Amino acid sequence: MPRLTPADASLILDHVVGDASIPTAAANVLLAGLPFPDRPTPRLLRSLLLRRLATDPVSTAALDSLQLLASLPDPDPASPVSAAHLAVAAFLACSAPDFDAAARALFARPGGRARRAVDDEEGGDPALASSEALVVADQFEAAVGNAFSQEVLKGLFGDRAKAERRVRDLLAAEWAAIGPSRLELAAEQIVGDGAVETWRAADETVRAKYRILGGKEKTREILSKIEDRISTPQVHKVIHDLKLSCADLHNVVDDPLPAAKAAADKVLAARMDKAVHINDEEFNNQAANCSIAGPSAVNDQGDTLRKGTPSSLMDWNPTAQSLLWEDSLDPDGSRSQSHRPHLPSPRRIPVSPLQVAENKARRRRARRWSSVEEETLRKGVEQFGSSNWKDILIHNPDAFIGRTTVDLKDKWRNMMR
DNA sequence: GCTAGGGTTATCG
DNA sequence: CGATAACCCTAGC
């Protein structure tokens, strides 16, 4: 099996990892097994960050995840990412052993980490910046060295459960807004509302692929919609005009078809009479010349030759002629116009050559057995024995396509020779 | 209905 | 043209 390309792996990861109902443990197995795409989709990155946040919601790493989340394209304006980011940063400052150091590192100007993210003047991220965030950053900056302010802030932001709740709210909102995967979008184009336009723009090769993806019912439904859309008033007018011009043509020209058909029937009837007559003659000649009928007819001919009778079959019966009703070709590939001699055969005696051609099924074209078929047959015989061709066949429907139990038996016989 | 075995036909060297 | 493989026919269970 060919190895999965990074592009295909990207589609799978985008679809599966971005599905909130897939447990993170399962998503991690996929991530470990598939090549990670060079350019992951925003949906994949978003879902990875959300999964990381779910396992570790209020830490420095969570702050990283939130900042990355805010930097992804197409942010949800209603997303609580800003509030969550602030809640985590504030909790980290409040829970640190050294409030002053932590508050400075996070909120002091210039360069405090959370300050840089929420303050426009520090080049803040629009998705994280807000007037509320700026007020809180200022409060933390002012609280450095101020025990009273620190106690107030700890009361407001020092609760881990509260900070985690903020992050969880964010997770729920982001998962809800994560949108369809690339595969879902593609499926929507092929079998969803946009299907008619997609199918109409596709050539037959591409449509063949769509048929497999969409299934029989859906394909029929879409194609019928395409037909409907083609039936515009202009199309109806063209059809109407064509019918009118046909009627005009019939008025001035006699339709030659009925006369041609009658002539053909007449010729056919005459040929049938002649063929039956010839068969009767053949039968009578045989009855007179051959004492034995059956598969030994060829040998009978040999006997007649030895007895000094005419050396050619046409000599043997100078009045005999054969008609070729089947699509037989001469060895040089051209359709024979001559009357070919043929041996008297008991099968031909009582019936019309036409009936023979119609009733006898055409022999199947010989198809070589593949090594896979041979191997499957070997294993089948090993498993079921060499008298259970039906079992071997029905247990290997994929290997023995177009083979019958008799074919299996014959092939085994050949293999054992 | 299934299998075994003989017969027929096509293909290949 | 003979050998062989693939396929066909049919008796017997």
Side-chain angles (χ1 to χ4, degrees), chain A residues 113-327:
Chain A
R113 181 175 175 180
R115 162 75 65 177
R116 277 206 314 272
V118 302
D119 192 339
D120 282 341
E121 286 179 16
E122 297 254 341
D125 190 323
L128 297 177
S130 69
S131 52
E132 295 88 333
L134 210 52
V135 168
V136 174
D138 287 343
Q139 286 174 338
F140 271 89
E141 192 178 32
V144 174
N146 184 330
F148 179 74
S149 297
Q150 286 176 22
E151 285 311 309
V152 172
L153 289 172
K154 281 181 184 173
L156 286 170
F157 296 102
D159 187 344
R160 172 180 282 269
K162 216 180 206 174
E164 284 187 357
R165 197 157 52 240
R166 284 272 166 80
V167 176
R168 272 202 296 274
D169 288 344
L170 164 75
L171 295 180
E174 288 287 303
W175 277 119
I178 203 161
S181 69
R182 292 276 170 93
L183 284 174
E184 285 167 318
L185 288 172
E188 184 62 22
Q189 277 196 312
I190 295 168
V191 295
D193 290 340
V196 172
E197 297 311 319
T198 310
W199 282 64
R200 211 200 315 240
D203 59 23
E204 264 317 303
T205 316
V206 176
R207 280 190 186 182
K209 294 175 185 170
Y210 290 170
R211 281 192 178 91
I212 296 168
L213 293 169
K216 272 186 190 169
E217 280 299 315
K218 199 71 194 175
T219 298
R220 205 173 299 131
E221 183 190 322
I222 293 165
L223 290 177
S224 71
K225 280 185 188 166
I226 292 176
E227 295 292 322
D228 286 347
R229 297 209 186 173
I230 290 173
S231 300
T232 60
Q234 288 89 341
V235 172
H236 283 303
K237 186 175 182 312
V238 170
I239 292 169
H240 180 68
D241 290 349
L242 274 171
K243 280 181 182 168
L244 280 183
S245 63
C246 267
D248 290 345
L249 193 63
H250 274 291
N251 287 337
V252 292
V253 179
D254 286 336
D255 186 354
L257 187 60
K261 193 170 175 298
D265 287 344
K266 208 170 166 182
V267 170
L268 203 59
R271 284 190 155 200
M272 288 286 285
D273 285 348
K274 199 170 177 182
V276 169
H277 174 68
I278 288 167
N279 273 334
D280 287 347
E281 214 170 74
E282 199 176 47
F283 174 75
N284 291 336
N285 282 340
Q286 265 188 273
N289 290 299
C290 306
S291 56
I292 304 168
S296 60
V298 174
N299 296 332
D300 293 346
Q301 183 215 345
D303 289 340
T304 7
L305 288 175
R306 278 193 295 277
K307 283 173 191 164
T309 42
S311 58
S312 140
L313 280 172
M314 299 306 277
D315 291 340
W316 175 71
N317 182 2
T319 60
Q321 43 182 322
S322 67
L323 294 177
L324 295 176
W325 290 92
E326 293 166 307
D327 288 342

Side-chain angles (χ1 to χ4, degrees), chain A residues 364 369 389 393 400-410:
Chain A
R364 287 183 299 161
W369 277 65
W389 309 113
L393 185 65
F400 300 126
I401 294 168
R403 304 292 185 191
T404 66
T405 53
V406 178
D407 292 337
L408 265 57
K409 177 262 304 175
D410 288 338

Side-chain angles (χ1 to χ4, degrees), chain A residues 276 279-280 282-283 345-353 355-356:
Chain A
V276 169
N279 273 334
D280 287 347
E282 199 176 47
F283 174 75
S345 157
R347 284 185 192 165
R348 295 173 60 91
I349 295 167
V351 293
S352 150
Q355 284 171 323
V356 168

